[in-house]
Each structure stands twice: as C-alpha cells, then as structure tokens.
Amino acid sequence: MANQTAIESSPAVGRAIRQFADLPGPRGLPIVGNILQMHQGRAHQDVEAWAQRYGPYFKFRLGSRHFLGVTDHENLITVLRDRPEGFRRTVRLEQVIREMGMEPGVFAANGDAWRRQRRLVMSAFDPTHVRAYFPTLLTVTRRLHRRWQAAAAADDSIDLRADLMRYTVDGVAGLAFGSEINTLEGGSEVIQNHLDQILPAIFRRVLAPLPYWRYLKSHADRHLPESVAAINVAVQGFIAAARKRMKGNPELIDRPSNLLEAMIAAAERESGAVSDAEIAGNVFTMLLAGEDTTANTLAWLIWLLFKNPPALEQCRDEVRRTFAELSSMTPESIASLDYLEACANEAMRLKPVAPTILNEALRDTTIGDVRIKAGTIVWLVLRHDTLDERFFPNPNAFEPRRWLAAGVHGSDSAKRIAMPFGGGPRICPGRYLALLEIKMAMAMLLGQFDLKSVATSDERDPAEYLALTMAPVGLRMRVRERQQEQRSN
Ligand code: HEM
C-alpha cells in the first residue's frame, strides 16, 4: 500500500471510485480544449457555472492539461492539507515566472525550496511581528487619510482600487523589507503600474492552452519586459538598502527586524538556506501577494457596506464609539472591532479575491470518489459551499452577524467552510497583516468621513475581473469629512 495517500483514507473509502475520464464536464475542442468557453477576466465565474451544472466534481481541459473542478469544502481542505507531498502549485506557474525573467518566491516554490522559504516568511509575518509594526502602519494610514481629506475638500471622486493599492504597497514594503516607500503622497506610481501589467500576464499565461506568447506577442506581451525590468530594479533597490542597513548595524544579522533582513541573515549564516535569487523572488512575491489581495478586499468591503446601510451604520457606530481620532488607535482598540471584522469576513465570503486555488497532483490519487493521475490540476472552487443555503442561510445577503453567532450556522462552522486565505501548510502567511490593514483603513474611513457614494459610473454592481485576484471594476467613492465637533460628540 505504498501508494496509499491521505486522501484515499478520507470519507471516500467504501464508495465506488469513478475514473477521471468518466466525469461530466463541458465538451472541448481539439488541441485547445475548453479555453474558448472561458471569458477573459471571468474564468472563475465560468468554472462556478460548470460546478452548478455538472456537480461537485467535473473535468475540463486547457490544451493538454487536464483539470478537475472540486467544490465541496471537505475535499477542498483535504487537498490543501496534502501539500507539499501530494500537491504542488502548477508547473506552469513556476515556468511562467522564470520565463518572464523573475525568480519564484514562496508562493510559486515547491518541495524543499518551499519549506526553507516558508519558515523564514512565517516568522516574519507572525502576529507578534505584525503587532510591532503597528506604528508604521498607522503612519501609512494617516497618509491615506490626508489623501482622502484632499479629495473630500475638492469633492473629487476617488479611484478606490488605485488609492487602496498605494496603501497596501506602502504597508507591505515597510513590514517585509523595512523600506519606507510613500506612493500615497509621492508622485511616483511605478511599482503599482508595473505590477498591474505583470499580474494579469502571469494569470493569462498560467491558463493558456499553449505558450502562444513565445510566437505571437500581444501589445501587453511586448511591453511586459519593461515592467519586469522596472520591478527588478525596485527589488534590487530594496535588497541593496537592507544590506547597507545590516552592514551599518551588524546586530541585525542576529536579530533581523523584517523578512528581507531575515533572508539575508539566513543566507549569510548558513550556505544553502536561501539563495540570492530566492531572496529577490520573495521580495517580488510580497509585492505581488500583498498588494492586490488586500486592496481588492477593501474595495469590495467598502462597496458592500455602502449597499447595506444598516450594516454600515452599525460598523460606523462601533468605530466611532471606539475612537474619535486616529491618534487614539492602538492594536488593542483595533482588535476590539468585532463587528468590523465580521463585515470583512462576510465581504470575503461573497467576494473572495482568490476565488480559486490551483494545485497539481504529484502522484496518482483519489479525491472524494474520483481517481486522478499525477499531473492533473485541481481547480478548487472556493465560492460554492459559501453560497449554499445548507451552510449559510440566506446565502446571497450581506449579513455580518452570522460571523458573531454561535450554533450550527455560527462562526465556527462558517470559518470551516469559507477559506478566503486558503488552508493547510500553505495558508496565506500575510493574513494577520491583511486583517490589520483592512481594519485600520476602515476605522480611518468610517471614523473620519461620511460616505457620499460608492458606485460604478453606470450605477450597476461592479463586474468581477479576475487577473490573479478578483477586482471590482470601476468603483469610485466620494466622501465628506466629518468636522472636529462631530467627532468629539
Ligand atoms: C485579504 C488579503 C489576502 C487574501 C484574501 C489572501 C489570500 C491568499 C490565498 C488564498 C493564498 C493561497 C493559500 C493556499 O494555497 O492555501 C495566499 C497565499 C499567500 N499569500 Fe495571501 N492573501 C491576502 C493578503 C496577503 C498579504 C498582505 C501577504 C503578504 C505580503 C500575502 C502573502 C501570501 C504569500 C507569500 C502566499 C503564499 C504562501 C505559500 O504558498 O506558502 N497575502 N494568500
């Protein structure tokens, strides 16, 4: 029974096993498979629709790569836990990143390389480090406040995603690299603009049935090397600054104060602990993983609250009861904002910015009652059980209270079913930072401003656009600043 996997000893045992080839799924075309049935930016919705039609396990194909769609939360978590031995991130992801001229960091790495990098990342992002970072994050939050004060004074409409991306890039650069970048107040938007080119390109190429970009370059493909070069310059800049700091203060080798210093120190202490290329890969990864995810979650949350006035009012009251001024924000007062946290959880249930996680099987195995071969890619559909009446009564409604309740449909069961940060050994290491950034930005917004509007130009619900993460398209916000006397009442 050497081949017996953890998954085979799951609840599937005792049931008849189906072969992958016998599964239902959309009929594809020769060579390209089902790619033409997936819409640009909406692949997640196409797969969610297949799940509705074909059930909890279905198959599809992109070129020569076979995909298994899986929706039920118990098997989702079983797959997520069976890493790195049973499943890896896709081979294609690693290839695409290297071919673009970058190095894979912890997100794209696998096996031993992943294990080594993950250890360093985890210690840098643990709750204690994130908490110690609070004062810097408060400085970044104040900058966002000033930016929105200026917009309020001019009655300008705010490009929500763009501003929030400035906030999250500035936030992650301080914590992960110890570098103060101030894109919120500076004119330079270099990093965000270039990341905005790179992320969709990675996603397009990961899904492409064939490596078309090697032969046929679109406008975006032709300009990609410029963006990659610019990001690589920024990455090398962060690394050079950290090395200089460490040279000036050798204590940092024993007691690194951030992820980048920890990686440099590990490389110096122990040969093979982490290579220079891996250090660069992780700087790039933190920019990539820490920017869009949190910014898009915040944008969805602000929109959902604006659409749900009772929840908005309750959230605003909680914030205003807790502190009148930004200067009175502390880690403790932020941690006490339970209703705001419930709103964030509810926004991530309805609008998970990572609505799918792809995992490639490293060996022949069984998922649920389906036998798959090594190399099959499992497309985990994260937004399926989270919209199922059996687990979340009134599932399409924005009801933050469900995250505070006890009982069958209470928060414990909700947390088991909704996995916006993934799960198992590769669960998002940035989740504490993300939640802190979300709560601080929201506390600033709701405490200091009234929302006049949060809408798209045609007043319709924003479209979901998936390019590695799922963004709301075209959301703009208008705010009115609260006066000093209102704040102290
Ligand atoms: C609301 C914000 C965020 C969401 C929803 C989110 C979601 C996710 C998800 C779904 C994964 C895949 C987990 C898995 O495979 O099981 C992931 C991985 C990851 N995230 Fe996040 N993330 C967020 C913010 C951040 C931030 C702020 C950082 C830090 C810079 C970060 C860094 C990472 C890294 C490095 C990985 C790869 C972990 C590994 O493969 O071992 N994320 N995230």
Side-chain angles (χ1 to χ4, degrees):
M1 296 298 273
N3 225 4
Q4 182 89 7
T5 67
I7 290 179
E8 280 178 305
S9 57
S10 75
V13 171
R15 269 191 268 155
I17 296 291
R18 287 185 288 170
Q19 296 304 317
F20 177 79
D22 300 332
L23 290 181
R27 187 189 288 266
L29 292 173
I31 304 178
V32 294
N34 299 98
I35 192 69
L36 300 180
Q37 289 141 283
M38 288 177 141
H39 298 85
Q40 163 104 7
R42 285 193 280 133
H44 63 299
Q45 291 173 330
D46 297 321
V47 179
E48 285 167 0
W50 291 338
Q52 293 294 341
R53 176 153 183 206
Y54 299 110
Y57 304 99
F58 52 96
K59 65 174 183 197
F60 56 100
R61 184 168 60 80
L62 301 178
S64 59
R65 293 178 305 157
H66 292 275
F67 286 71
L68 169 71
V70 177
T71 63
D72 77 281
H73 64 276
E74 283 179 9
N75 277 304
L76 293 189
I77 191 65
T78 312
V79 171
L80 293 174
R81 285 190 183 132
D82 191 15
R83 299 178 294 178
E85 293 80 11
F87 291 89
R88 51 166 289 155
R89 299 230 191 265
T90 62
V91 171
R92 176 71 76 80
L93 175 65
E94 215 171 318
Q95 280 169 351
V96 163
I97 290 179
R98 282 192 206 285
E99 211 175 313
M100 279 184 181
M102 297 176 300
E103 278 299 319
V106 66
F107 187 90
N110 295 286
D112 281 344
W114 171 77
R115 275 196 194 88
R116 280 187 283 108
Q117 297 175 45
R118 175 85 189 186
R119 260 197 303 276
L120 291 166
V121 169
M122 283 312 284
S123 56
F125 280 92
D126 68 9
T128 318
H129 275 88
V130 172
R131 198 187 147 94
Y133 182 59
F134 187 88
T136 313
L137 213 45
L138 189 55
T139 306
V140 177
T141 308
R142 283 181 194 284
R143 289 183 188 145
L144 182 62
H145 177 222
R146 285 199 287 273
R147 191 175 172 90
W148 286 355
Q149 272 181 317
D155 198 23
D156 278 345
S157 87
I158 294 165
D159 179 342
L160 203 46
R161 240 189 109 230
D163 273 19
L164 291 169
M165 272 161 47
R166 289 169 184 258
Y167 171 70
T168 53
V169 163
D170 290 4
V172 80
L175 178 65
F177 322 137
S179 292
E180 190 185 318
I181 53 171
N182 185 355
T183 67
L184 275 164
E185 290 177 324
S188 147
E189 296 170 38
V190 169
I191 290 186
Q192 288 88 335
N193 285 350
H194 292 298
L195 287 171
D196 247 11
Q197 304 302 313
I198 294 173
L199 300 190
I202 293 179
F203 190 62
R204 264 196 318 275
R205 293 179 180 191
V206 163
L207 291 193
L210 302 164
Y212 68 88
W213 61 91
R214 291 182 196 157
Y215 315 102
L216 205 69
K217 291 198 188 318
S218 66
H219 178 76
D221 290 320
R222 279 197 300 277
H223 286 279
L224 194 62
E226 288 161 34
S227 291
V228 171
I231 289 291
N232 278 337
V233 168
V235 165
Q236 291 307 330
F238 290 130
I239 297 175
R243 285 198 198 280
K244 195 167 161 203
R245 269 196 316 274
M246 294 172 85
K247 211 164 163 205
N249 180 6
E251 254 191 30
L252 290 174
I253 305 252
D254 295 323
R255 239 172 284 142
S257 65
N258 57 59
L259 171 63
L260 181 50
E261 289 170 7
M263 288 191 295
I264 294 172
E268 290 192 6
R269 265 200 316 266
E270 192 189 329
S271 92
V274 55
S275 68
D276 279 2
E278 285 170 348
I279 295 178
N282 278 303
V283 173
F284 164 69
T285 298
M286 295 309 146
L287 289 173
L288 183 151
E291 184 216 35
D292 253 24
T293 44
T294 313
N296 288 335
T297 302
L298 267 165
W300 283 118
L301 170 59
I302 293 170
W303 174 71
L304 282 164
L305 278 174
F306 188 72
K307 269 197 38 152
N308 291 277
L312 174 62
E313 198 179 313
Q314 191 165 346
C315 203
R316 200 176 49 203
D317 288 351
E318 181 185 64
V319 167
R320 293 182 185 178
R321 253 195 334 269
T322 310
F323 28 64
E325 295 299 333
L326 289 186
S327 53
S328 38
M329 272 192 199
T330 59
E332 292 72 26
S333 62
I334 288 289
S336 74
L337 298 171
D338 292 335
Y339 190 75
L340 172 54
E341 189 162 324
C343 291
N345 284 328
E346 185 68 342
M348 290 191 283
R349 180 182 72 83
L350 292 169
K351 298 290 181 185
V353 296
T356 178
I357 303 178
L358 303 185
N359 292 283
E360 192 161 326
L362 284 164
R363 57 190 173 207
D364 295 357
T365 188
T366 305
I367 301 180
D369 62 351
V370 179
R371 188 83 193 146
I372 60 167
K373 287 202 165 50
T376 305
I377 299 172
V378 183
W379 181 298
L380 300 178
V381 183
L382 272 83
R383 185 171 54 179
H384 184 273
D385 283 3
T386 49
L387 295 184
D388 187 325
E389 181 82 45
R390 282 176 305 159
F391 306 117
F392 293 92
N394 201 8
N396 294 312
F398 182 77
E399 288 181 358
R401 289 237 137 258
R402 63 175 107 237
W403 293 92
L404 300 170
V408 191
H409 294 299
S411 68
D412 285 349
S413 101
K415 281 181 185 149
R416 257 189 306 108
I417 294 160
M419 292 174 254
F421 293 108
R426 297 195 79 147
I427 192 170
C428 174
R431 60 197 186 283
Y432 304 114
L433 172 64
L435 269 177
L436 184 60
E437 285 181 334
I438 289 169
K439 289 174 89 175
M440 289 177 77
M442 291 305 296
M444 179 276 286
L445 173 64
L446 300 179
Q448 309 301 311
F449 298 96
D450 290 317
L451 301 183
K452 286 166 74 178
S453 70
V454 183
T456 58
S457 57
D458 61 7
E459 303 280 327
R460 293 198 191 165
D461 289 359
E464 297 175 350
Y465 192 90
L466 184 69
L468 224 54
T469 69
M470 186 181 90
V473 179
L475 263 189
R476 300 195 74 91
M477 172 173 82
R478 278 181 196 279
V479 291
R480 182 185 315 108
E481 193 175 8
R482 293 178 67 222
Q483 299 308 311
Q484 181 66 42
E485 59 276 17
Q486 290 175 294
R487 291 206 291 268
S488 46
N489 279 340

